[in-house]
Amino acid sequence: MKVLYAIQGTGNGHLSRARDVIPVLQKKVDLDILVSGTQADIEIPYDIKYQLKGLSFIFGKKGGVNMWRTYLKANTKRLQKEIKSIPIEDYDIVINDFEPVTAWACKLKNKPCFSFSHQAAVLSPSAPKPKKNDLLGKMILKNYAPTTHQYGLHFKEYGDNMYTPIIRKDIRELKSTNENHYTVYLPSYSDDKIIKVLSKIKKVQWQVFSKHSKQAYFTNNIAISPITNEAFIQSMASSKGVLCGGGFETPAEALFLKKKLLVIPMKGQYEQQCNSAALKEMGVPVLKTLKVKHVEKIKKWINSDSVVEVDYPEITELIVNRLLQEATAL
């Protein structure tokens, strides 16, 4: 059976998950890998047959997506050319992790496309949603990478074909300790903005992983480092707590490691608003923005010992088996 596994390359979560999904698929099928998009800071140690620019959301520095840079990067002629270039008819199954090129190629050629992603779960009617209805955000999420069959991952099993997070092997094998620092990953904020707020909180060691700096440096009680997979997960595993955006993989991994968690969802990013609604239901504190006026709330979190208990078993092979079984039955 010949399978194309298409992965979104914006951010780190999709590629992190792929590092565990790919070896499971390789044991069962003849696999080719496609990655599209930019803005990722990690690589996967497998041969990539198709490396495309795709359609990426560009992170800003003020807490949201930089829509102007996103628009400039969205070269529609190039994107259409990429969509037409992928020989999806050569594959028995296309598995898609929120990747737009193959999703639209399948849609245009009326070929089944199996979503194996967090976004598939977010879009489910049974998954938590923010109080403020974002019709545009919902429409973008629904149409960005349309698929015919959905296998979703979320913080809880909210419905059918929905599963708890895939916690990568790197994280499962870590020993969780509590040292004297907090790990920070807020890629949609500038270093200056993060420093401005966190420097107000004295006697706390902050280890900030930056998307905007290629050099490590210190400023008072704040260490700024470029992102590497090994350094980040070691920092997180040994931290007192994790302050991060409203993505999926980092909060899930922090919860798995039994870390107290504080999240700040990206402004205007519907998926992160949905994630934050789910985390809030579970008891995780959520801030709307990173501002000096929220320093007291951050201090309150630091002084709290509240950790949300979760059970995230190893289920990667279970999901892959079910997906392949359904696909071959079509």
Side-chain angles (χ1 to χ4, degrees), residues 58-202:
I58 308 300
F59 295 131
K61 296 184 178 182
K62 297 180 180 180
V65 173
N66 187 321
M67 294 307 296
W68 177 241
R69 287 189 64 207
T70 296
Y71 172 75
L72 291 176
K73 288 279 187 178
N75 185 320
T76 54
K77 285 186 178 180
R78 187 257 307 148
L79 184 61
Q80 289 172 6
K81 187 177 180 180
E82 287 185 346
I83 290 170
K84 292 176 182 176
S85 72
I86 303 302
I88 57 167
E89 59 277 0
D90 293 350
Y91 296 92
D92 299 302
I93 303 171
V94 176
I95 300 175
N96 184 292
D97 189 344
F98 203 53
E99 194 290 305
V101 176
T102 53
W104 278 99
C106 287
K107 187 175 179 67
L108 293 173
K109 294 184 179 180
N110 201 29
K111 183 180 178 67
C113 186
F114 286 77
S115 177
F116 183 9
S117 68
H118 170 56
Q119 289 75 17
V122 170
L123 286 167
S124 169
S126 59
K129 302 292 189 293
K131 291 180 180 179
K132 184 178 179 181
N133 194 15
D134 182 355
L135 294 176
L136 178 61
K138 190 181 297 184
M139 183 187 73
I140 292 171
L141 192 65
K142 186 176 181 180
N143 293 290
Y144 179 82
T147 56
T148 55
H149 300 72
Q150 288 77 40
Y151 285 75
L153 304 164
H154 216 317
F155 297 114
K156 287 185 176 181
E157 295 178 347
Y158 292 106
D160 294 336
N161 267 12
M162 202 179 300
Y163 302 87
T164 52
I166 290 176
I167 303 298
R168 51 191 163 133
K169 186 179 178 182
D170 290 355
I171 299 293
R172 289 189 180 277
E173 293 179 348
L174 285 174
K175 182 181 179 181
S176 183
T177 59
N178 282 289
E179 296 180 12
N180 194 35
H181 70 267
Y182 287 84
T183 301
V184 180
Y185 180 53
L186 294 168
S188 64
Y189 285 97
S190 68
D191 295 354
D192 289 345
K193 180 68 172 180
I194 294 171
I195 291 167
K196 180 180 178 181
V197 176
L198 297 186
S199 64
K200 303 290 183 184
I201 305 172
K202 312 297 182 183

Side-chain angles (χ1 to χ4, degrees), residues 26 68 75 155 161 184 232 247 255 270 298 318 328-329:
Q26 286 179 330
W68 177 241
N75 185 320
F155 297 114
N161 267 12
V184 180
F232 177 72
L255 291 172
Y270 180 67
I298 299 174
L318 169 70
T328 52

Side-chain angles (χ1 to χ4, degrees), residues 1-5 25 29-33 91-95 324:
M1 182 186 299
K2 196 163 180 60
V3 173
L4 178 62
Y5 181 30
L25 283 168
V29 300
D30 180 8
L31 186 69
D32 284 341
I33 300 167
Y91 296 92
D92 299 302
I93 303 171
V94 176
I95 300 175
L324 295 177

Side-chain angles (χ1 to χ4, degrees), residues 216-228:
Y217 62 95
F218 291 87
T219 173
N220 298 321
N221 57 330
I222 303 171
I224 307 285
S225 302
I227 302 163
T228 64

